Amino acid sequence: MGSDANTHASNNPPARLTGAEIVWATLVGEGVTDVFGYPGGAILPVYDALRKFPIHHVLVRHEQGAAHMADGYARASGKVGVAIATSGPGATNLVTGIATAMLDSIPIVCITGNVSSKVLGTDAFQEVDITGITLPVTKHNFLISRTEEIAPAIRYAFQIAQTGRPGPVLVDITKDAQQGTAIFDFAAAKPRPHRPHPMLNVEEHGLAQAVELIRNAKRPVILAGHGVIESGAEEQVRALAERAQIPVALTLLGLGGFPASHPLNLGMMGMHGEAWVNHAIQEADLLIACGMRFDDRVTGTISTYATKAKKIHIEVDPAEVNKNIKVDVALIGDLRTVLEELLPRISSGHGGRDGSAWIKTIESSKGAVAVRDIKNLPDSGHLYAAHVIHDIWRITGGNAILVTDVGQHQMWAAQYYHHERPRTLITSGGLGTMGFALPAAIGAKFACPDREVWVIAGDGGFQMTAAELSTIAQEGIKINIAIINNGYLGMVRQWQEFFYERNYEATPLVSPDFVKLADAHGIAGRRVQTRSEVASAVEEARSAPGTFLLNFMVEKEDSVYPMIPAGSSLHEMIRRPEKDPLMET
Amino acid sequence: MLHTFVAYVEDLPGVLTRVASLFRRLNININSLTVGRSERVGLSRLTLVCEASAEAGHRIRASLYKLENVVDVDDIAQAPSVTRELALIKIAATPRNRSGIFELVEVFRARIVDLAPESLTIEMTGVESKIEGLIQVLNEGEERILEICRSGKMTMRRGHHTSSVLKAMGADADQAAEEPTEDSAAGEPE
Ligand SMILES: Cc1ncc(C[n+]2csc(CCOP(=O)(O)OP(=O)(O)O)c2C)c(N)n1
Ligand SMILES: [Mg+2]
């Protein structure tokens, strides 16, 4: 919230402003420099006042894009992202983006205009009950009908969005409140201090129990989730792992929270996690869950999940504790703070256990898996998504911000791009929202203009928000776009292949020529069909001055392996068939 | 099992929707819900009774606290508490057959609060089972019940309240509007 950044607003003496001006002045006070939005009648007063304030407004092509951009901005920077829309359809178009942020606990503030307070509730033109609609997908929302309530509500929204477990907040402001005037006093509009959730609980007793469990464990595994990144606990998790020699498995959203190259990093767990990771979890005698919520995509069947393991759960949201998996010790609080309390009590080495034996067991269970690693296969003339992503990783040195869409390519991106640092993988985990990547990447680029940003999208999902190409063109920003074009809604096709007797209903997909589509937006592009072209294409995209689109024509019926079918146990995985027709030359 | 939650919530538009929506989302039916002013300015107190698994109690309470307008939540569970419900029961009765009802009302320690030529209204306060009992006896008798209006349960823990949140608020200087101070507490006789 950087009260230092507030200079502009807070140093100005209280003055009488219109509600519209108050909206911007408050945003400036909160340190906002970029917002993503789309105008309309009920928010016009706010737009009219914009030119007086030092805020850059990015005009999106669909309000869903605005919410995703705010989300990508927040994920890349750790700051609050802001989206703006008009009433009615503008507001409802935000909903998917808001729900995406809610499910992944991303701090965004959405500001919508609404009809005048005098006609609220009368089905006036473009009126919808957006606070009602978004109630279950926001952390909180406000309906503001008086000018003097605007600044306090927006400041409160910023506080709510980023305290405790973060999440989206919506502030709906009636048109007459925007048009009215009030004294604007940024400092006086400050919310009450954040009250931590009353059920946070890190007791001496629990800490002692945790230390004891860690000391006595023979086969411990740390499960690192999104909370590691949101709490900024990367150092602490690393210290715990290194000090007690505990291997670390990551959730999809946890990737980057622990360096991929670290010898104790096992990799991603869950539905598309590598076999040894899930086996290690199933064999473990202690799981230390750090900022993760035992989502069904990582546990498989709950009744058979890690039955031999005691469980320690360190989590900021008390409602997540004992929700899916019963735990033995719950340390309910901010992950970083809890680990800082725990760490001094953890002795180095591995207590009574022969830590290296456990780690060696896991190592050996990797077995021949590394052999099937795509990068070790000779070029068969086939182009696999894995090649593409592996090359992007290699050529960018793993330093890019990777923004994925949802589907097979998302899982391949998680498997073949190795994240060393937090906030380098931006992906919709909880809601799994197709169409997320392109707008989220735009948001990430505004948050980190100096970073290299790559979109990894499927041919299906890309078309859901492809209109944002013209936002890119209008803003003149540079991002690199890789479309993993398999001619299918690939992940659904994969389920049809495995579980519906290859009945490919509604998954074959006709797409436009994406390179021509880019061209129509003044964006350069190239079609890539063979493995030998990948590296040069990636280089070409990187060195192009503007946004560049690569259309990778990959194997149509490749699948993501291994896979744990939904509702199965973690150890019941489908592996890549020995004789995979795709793998043979 | 039956859960009874007592919560203090901000007295603002839409707050009840947020509370109710939480239960809707969990697909839990609310058996009864009473809301009214509390001893604190700007805070309403509600008693919510619902049927849910024993483990669900923790999560419901934790989720209620996540609502920005919810200030305090107590899961009464099996704790010693006083629970009351108010019922208004209107009965078709003429001066000729009233006397039986008068006796019944006496036995149940209820009151007649309205007397009209063709009907009378009974007010009854008590625990749920007593109210159910009165209604049953009335049903078994000759009198016809015209209307029943029940408040739903209101619950208060016995003894001094133990809410750490409310205590913290009581200690808060700008929450001055409360009447009894923390140290006025003593064991209440029952
Ligand atoms: C908005 C939305 N609609 C539907 C789905 C269900 N879904 C999940 S993955 C997927 C296929 C994605 O296809 P594509 O974008 O081509 O990526 P691929 O799996 O082929 O890599 C679908 C339809 C979803 N996740 N989001
Ligand atoms: Mg596809």
Side-chain angles (χ1 to χ4, degrees):
Chain A
M1 262 193 304
S3 46
D4 312 327
N6 303 340
T7 42
H8 179 90
S10 50
N11 286 355
N12 287 347
R16 181 162 285 277
L17 300 182
T18 66
E21 290 166 337
I22 290 174
V23 169
W24 295 115
T26 311
L27 292 177
V28 169
E30 291 291 348
V32 174
T33 52
D34 301 275
V35 299
F36 308 92
Y38 208 90
I43 192 78
L44 252 181
V46 166
Y47 274 86
D48 188 50
L50 171 57
R51 64 191 162 81
K52 301 175 200 155
F53 296 86
I55 285 186
H56 177 67
H57 177 271
V58 177
L59 177 66
V60 304
R61 294 299 179 273
H62 185 294
E63 291 85 352
Q64 179 185 347
H68 288 329
M69 286 178 208
D71 177 320
Y73 184 96
R75 291 189 206 229
S77 65
K79 294 191 280 185
V80 177
V82 179
I84 300 186
T86 191
S87 66
T92 54
N93 274 352
L94 289 173
V95 173
T96 301
I98 294 173
T100 304
M102 184 68 176
L103 271 277
D104 286 348
S105 311
I106 304 300
I108 65 171
V109 169
C110 296
I111 295 174
T112 49
N114 207 337
V115 298
S116 204
S117 63
K118 288 173 267 314
V119 294
L120 219 47
T122 65
D123 290 339
F125 179 62
Q126 293 195 328
E127 184 197 358
V128 293
D129 173 13
I130 196 62
T131 45
I133 290 172
T134 58
L135 190 144
V137 291
T138 49
K139 220 182 139 184
H140 191 64
N141 60 27
F142 298 87
L143 170 56
I144 299 302
S145 57
R146 287 173 46 222
T147 309
E148 52 272 30
E149 290 170 355
I150 293 175
I154 293 177
R155 294 208 63 182
Y156 194 12
F158 270 73
Q159 183 191 69
I160 294 169
Q162 55 195 327
T163 47
R165 179 177 179 174
V169 184
L170 180 132
V171 185
D172 192 28
I173 309 173
T174 61
K175 192 167 183 178
D176 51 336
Q178 298 167 39
Q179 288 164 326
T181 64
I183 299 294
F184 173 65
D185 183 344
F186 184 78
K190 190 175 173 207
R192 279 181 307 204
H194 165 64
R195 186 198 63 173
H197 194 295
M199 290 163 76
L200 296 187
N201 187 3
V202 184
E203 278 177 6
E204 184 53 40
H205 178 62
L207 287 167
Q209 271 185 299
V211 170
E212 193 62 17
L213 286 176
I214 292 170
R215 183 184 302 126
N216 295 330
K218 300 263 182 295
R219 301 183 308 280
V221 177
I222 292 173
L223 308 177
H226 195 198
V228 176
I229 295 167
E230 296 214 326
S231 152
E234 299 87 2
E235 291 297 314
Q236 289 71 17
V237 169
R238 187 176 172 152
L240 175 65
E242 288 176 353
R243 200 172 296 176
Q245 284 297 299
I246 304 176
V248 180
L250 300 151
T251 68
L252 174 64
L253 291 189
L255 293 176
F258 190 75
S261 62
H262 196 287
L264 287 169
N265 189 321
L266 294 178
M268 184 172 72
M269 65 180 100
M271 186 174 270
H272 293 295
E274 290 293 357
W276 66 80
V277 189
N278 290 327
H279 276 302
I281 292 169
Q282 290 299 70
E283 287 307 311
D285 65 353
L286 176 66
L287 296 178
I288 308 164
C290 297
M292 57 84 75
R293 58 188 174 96
F294 295 104
D295 178 78
D296 55 78
R297 296 285 120 147
V298 310
T299 60
T301 313
I302 285 190
S303 56
T304 57
Y305 179 75
T307 47
K308 299 167 194 159
K310 296 265 187 221
K311 287 146 196 125
I312 300 171
H313 197 181
I314 312 176
E315 166 61 45
V316 70
D317 181 354
E320 290 294 349
V321 175
N322 290 323
K323 183 179 87 176
N324 298 334
I325 296 286
K326 294 271 162 298
V327 298
D328 301 276
V329 178
L331 300 171
I332 312 176
D334 170 59
L335 178 62
R336 182 174 166 160
T337 318
V338 173
L339 286 177
E340 271 168 359
E341 281 195 58
L342 194 63
L343 277 169
R345 305 160 193 241
I346 306 285
S347 47
S348 51
H350 2 83
R353 118 185 85 95
D354 184 357
S356 59
W358 169 228
I359 289 162
K360 275 194 199 115
T361 313
I362 300 174
E363 274 309 313
S364 65
S365 72
K366 291 186 183 176
V369 174
V371 178
R372 71 134 264 248
D373 195 334
I374 227 89
K375 66 178 181 284
N376 301 328
L377 291 174
D379 185 354
S380 59
H382 297 273
L383 180 60
Y384 294 103
H387 295 149
V388 174
I389 289 158
H390 179 73
D391 277 352
I392 292 174
W393 170 70
R394 201 172 43 81
I395 293 167
T396 59
N399 287 318
I401 297 177
L402 205 69
V403 189
T404 86
D405 217 76
V406 171
Q408 292 183 311
H409 62 279
Q410 177 187 32
M411 292 300 120
W412 283 316
Q415 293 176 336
Y416 292 97
Y417 194 103
H418 309 291
H419 294 270
E420 293 297 312
R421 281 177 290 130
R423 304 192 184 283
T424 55
L425 173 64
I426 294 179
T427 193
S428 164
L431 198 67
T433 308
M434 285 172 71
F436 174 77
L438 189 64
I442 296 171
K445 187 67 186 182
F446 275 97
C448 306
D450 301 329
R451 295 287 299 277
E452 178 176 351
V453 176
W454 276 85
V455 168
I456 310 283
D459 42 342
F462 187 76
Q463 292 185 66
M464 284 200 169
T465 50
E468 302 303 343
L469 282 173
S470 40
T471 306
I472 290 175
Q474 185 162 353
E475 292 295 327
I477 55 171
K478 165 152 184 74
I479 58 179
N480 301 313
I481 301 167
I483 297 180
I484 306 300
N485 191 337
N486 53 11
Y488 279 105
L489 299 175
M491 186 57 94
V492 179
R493 185 209 59 75
Q494 174 169 348
W495 283 51
Q496 289 170 330
E497 177 187 334
F498 291 177
F499 315 119
Y500 294 88
E501 293 159 336
R502 303 176 79 95
N503 178 17
Y504 293 167
E505 197 64 65
T507 44
L509 187 68
V510 172
S511 296
D513 179 332
F514 289 116
V515 174
K516 278 193 186 153
L517 182 70
D519 186 51
H521 292 87
I523 291 170
R526 172 171 162 186
R527 178 186 168 98
V528 184
Q529 297 194 79
T530 63
R531 183 170 178 180
S532 56
E533 299 167 81
V534 174
S536 74
V538 170
E539 295 287 13
E540 184 179 354
R542 297 182 78 208
S543 53
T547 290
F548 201 94
L549 181 148
L550 294 171
N551 185 15
F552 290 102
M553 310 304 292
V554 299
E555 279 295 336
K556 285 175 169 280
E557 293 193 37
D558 193 8
S559 290
V560 182
Y561 296 100
M563 175 178 191
I564 297 157
S568 299
S569 301
L570 266 200
H571 47 271
E572 296 167 354
M573 52 184 66
I574 303 174
R575 291 163 178 276
R576 190 175 276 282
E578 292 269 323
K579 278 206 180 316
D580 183 346
L582 296 179
M583 287 303 230
E584 282 165 30
T585 9
Chain B
M1 67 176 268
L2 216 53
H3 290 272
T4 303
F5 296 98
V6 171
Y8 283 77
V9 301
E10 288 179 293
D11 187 10
L12 294 171
V15 173
L16 203 53
T17 312
R18 291 174 197 277
V19 172
S21 180
L22 176 70
F23 289 85
R24 174 191 54 77
R25 205 194 148 191
L26 296 171
N27 201 19
I28 292 174
N29 183 44
I30 297 173
N31 293 12
S32 81
L33 173 59
T34 65
V35 195
R37 292 216 177 112
S38 73
E39 72 281 9
R40 279 158 205 272
V41 177
L43 290 190
S44 303
R45 176 177 171 131
L46 61 83
T47 305
L48 188 151
V49 182
C50 67
E51 181 71 43
S53 69
E55 307 89 72
H58 166 89
R59 187 160 162 236
I60 293 172
R61 181 159 170 258
S63 303
L64 279 167
Y65 267 130
K66 282 167 70 175
L67 302 175
E68 206 51 49
N69 305 112
V70 172
V71 175
D72 185 68
V73 187
D74 191 4
D75 183 356
I76 300 291
Q78 317 299 336
S81 56
V82 181
T83 295
R84 291 291 179 273
E85 185 173 350
L86 171 72
L88 295 175
I89 304 167
K90 186 176 285 182
I91 295 167
T94 56
R96 277 188 293 114
N97 59 3
R98 273 174 190 163
S99 55
I101 297 174
F102 286 171
E103 273 171 39
L104 206 60
V105 163
E106 192 71 13
V107 172
F108 276 87
R109 294 208 214 136
R111 298 201 292 150
I112 308 280
V113 289
D114 181 49
L115 207 54
E118 262 118 51
S119 73
L120 60 78
T121 303
I122 304 171
E123 175 201 305
M124 161 113 193
T125 309
V127 296
E128 193 178 20
S129 58
K130 269 182 78 181
I131 292 173
E132 301 282 342
L134 173 62
I135 292 170
Q136 195 187 334
V137 175
L138 287 169
N139 272 328
E140 284 164 0
E142 271 143 42
E143 298 75 18
R144 203 155 58 86
I145 296 179
L146 300 173
E147 285 178 50
I148 297 179
C149 174
R150 294 172 66 165
S151 65
K153 283 188 204 170
M154 305 165 73
T155 300
M156 196 174 269
R157 274 179 188 263
R158 291 185 186 272
H160 186 54
H161 75 72
T162 50
S163 160
S164 55
V165 176
L166 287 181
K167 273 190 185 140
M169 287 179 60
D172 210 351
D174 49 30
Q175 277 285 340
E178 52 181 321
E179 292 134 36
T181 55
E182 285 297 272
D183 30 48
S184 72
E188 281 102 295
E190 160 49 24

